[in-house]
Structures are given as C-alpha cells and as structure tokens.
Amino acid sequence: GRRAKSTLLASGLATPPCNIGPRSTPDYATLASKAVKKLQSGETVFAGQRAEGFFVDLGSVFDLATLRPFQNLHLIPTAAAPGVDALADVNVHSLAIQVPISDLTVDGSVPTDPMSSKAVIGVWGAASRQKGGVRSGGSRSGVGPWVQVSRLGNPLFNEVIVPLARKDEWNSQGPADDNEFAKYVARPELAALLPVLYPGVFPNLAALDKDRADLLAILLTGIPAGIIPGFQNFTGTTQADELRLNVAIPPSPNPNRLGILGGDLAGFPNGRRVTDDVVTIELRAVAGATFPLVDPTFTPDGAVAVIEDGTFTNLDRDFLGVFPYLGVPYAGYDVPAA
C-alpha cells in the first residue's frame, strides 16, 4: 500500500536477442556485450538472457531432505551419489545493475570501517502483477491495481523456512512485517526433521531445545558486532528477510565457496556472490554449524561439516570476470529438448 518514489535513469536501451544458435546469433558473447551500458548517473546496466547462476539439487532437497552425497544414511537409504543440478543448462532473463556504493549508503559515503552501521545495506526484490487480466484474440492484457505476488531476500527463506500454508501471505507483504514469521526461523522445521530422517547422525541437534538465535540474527536482523571478530552486518532490531551486505568488506581475492562458514567475510551471508555455495551453507547452518556463535556450549554434530547438496563439485558454470558476471546463455541449438 505504500507509494514508492521512482526516478527514470534511462530509456530506449538495447537488449540482445536470445541465444538461438551459431547461425542466427553468431559470436553471441560480443553481441550481448553491446547491451552493457554505463549511464550518466553512474550505474552500469544490462537486460537480457544469461546462463542461470544459481545451483541446487531441488529434486533431492524436497524429497524428504535427501542429500545424495550421503543419502545412504537416510531413513530410506539408497546408495550415495553426486548431486544433480536442477538448473544446469538453464537460461534466465536477467536485469543486472552495478551501482556505486555511494548511491546505496544512508549518507552517500563509501565506508571503510566494517564496524560502522553506515557500512551495511539490506536488499530484497519483489515482483508484482496486475490484479486482473483480459484475454482477447489470443492475447492477454492486465487490468486493475498492481499486486505483489513474490519476493526474495535470502535464498530458500520462502521455500524452506515459511510453511506451505503461509507462503502466499509471505510473498504478498514486505519484509517490515516479518516478525510474524520469526517463530519459523527460531524453530525451523528442517532442523527438527534432520535427526528423524538421518537416524543417529544428528544427536546433538536432536537434543537442542532452544530458539535458534543464530538463525534469527543471520536471516532477520543481520549479525551484530561482537559475534564474529572484525565483522557485522546488523541492520537493526526490526526483523526482516533481507540480503545484507557490509560494503566496507573488500572482495576476497580467493573466494571461499562457503563464505563466512569458510572464514571468508566477503561471502554469504554477507551479500551473495554467484559462486557462493548457498544451499550447502544454509543446510549446515540449520543443522547447527552456526549455533556455537551464540552458545559456545553447543557442539555441532560431526556430520554437519560434510553436509553437501552435492552440486558444487560438478558445477558447470562459466561465470564472467566482468559485469554482468553471469555467463553467456546456452544456445538453443546446443540444448536438447526437454
């Protein structure tokens, strides 16, 4: 119900065609690069097809949390196997925006002190569509007010944390109201299921009968100062699902796929790089890897250190070293029909 103030930064910019094949769209990388535009206001933008950057074994995660690399330990066991990336060879229509840090901070500065509150920003995305539609002659046009139908901050928050009966409600509102969903973060269903689905593998997690203050911080407020030496991405006490980034933390010259869990403060959940193994990080956190940050008496189960969804080890992605970073889309000519 809030009206957002908008500013038109540019119009009439070029967008590349989809990658059809070597005859219709030869040298696609060069063709697509012509759609990267630096605006007078300082942003660099791109709109067009890209190779999907996210990787996850959707089939296994949603089949009773069956993690293929150690599904032999599952309640319903099968032989261990590599993960299957459900998003391999998939293209996505992408909007990429590179924004100067000074345009994002509250005072227009470029912070250098990671412990400064001005160094942290919180971001989320939302999609809306018109409430009604009219079909005529094979076409459809929207009518009526625009209604928010989905949003995203932290990957898998909606899919794994929010219960099925409340997903539409969560998608329809803004992060400022997420205190209504905090109880699902404090006592995530997956954390209760893992000891049941993997008998004897997670005894310490099974005995953990406390609210998950670690997940509440990571997902809903950001991590306050004093928890991890030299780091914080705290946005305040308002509980909201946002992807938080401390812009005073410089990019890592040697990124660790496990981000902060791997000792790399420039990685997820401090923002999210395209090479961060987000699913593995979140599964390990839910399983108890991050609880010692708030309760040093807790010892994570040994299995937590080897939890994998198994898609990173055989990751087939050619990310770019320059904007827009997502790889050249797969040509229709090369991808077999489903």
Side-chain angles (χ1 to χ4, degrees), residues 201-220:
V201 176
F202 298 102
N204 295 348
L205 182 64
L208 179 58
D209 188 24
K210 297 179 180 179
D211 283 352
R212 295 294 303 273
D214 56 327
L215 300 180
L216 288 167
I218 292 169
L219 297 175
L220 292 181

Side-chain angles (χ1 to χ4, degrees), residues 56-74 76-87 194 198 279-280 283 306-311 313-314:
V56 57
D57 190 341
L58 287 172
S60 68
V61 171
F62 288 106
D63 184 19
L64 291 180
T66 305
L67 304 173
R68 294 183 213 258
F70 58 102
Q71 61 189 4
N72 56 302
L73 302 177
H74 197 276
I76 308 172
T78 50
V84 177
D85 185 0
L87 302 177
L194 284 174
Y198 293 87
V279 177
T280 293
L283 288 173
V306 295
I307 285 180
E308 298 276 350
D309 91 321
T311 54
T313 53
N314 60 349

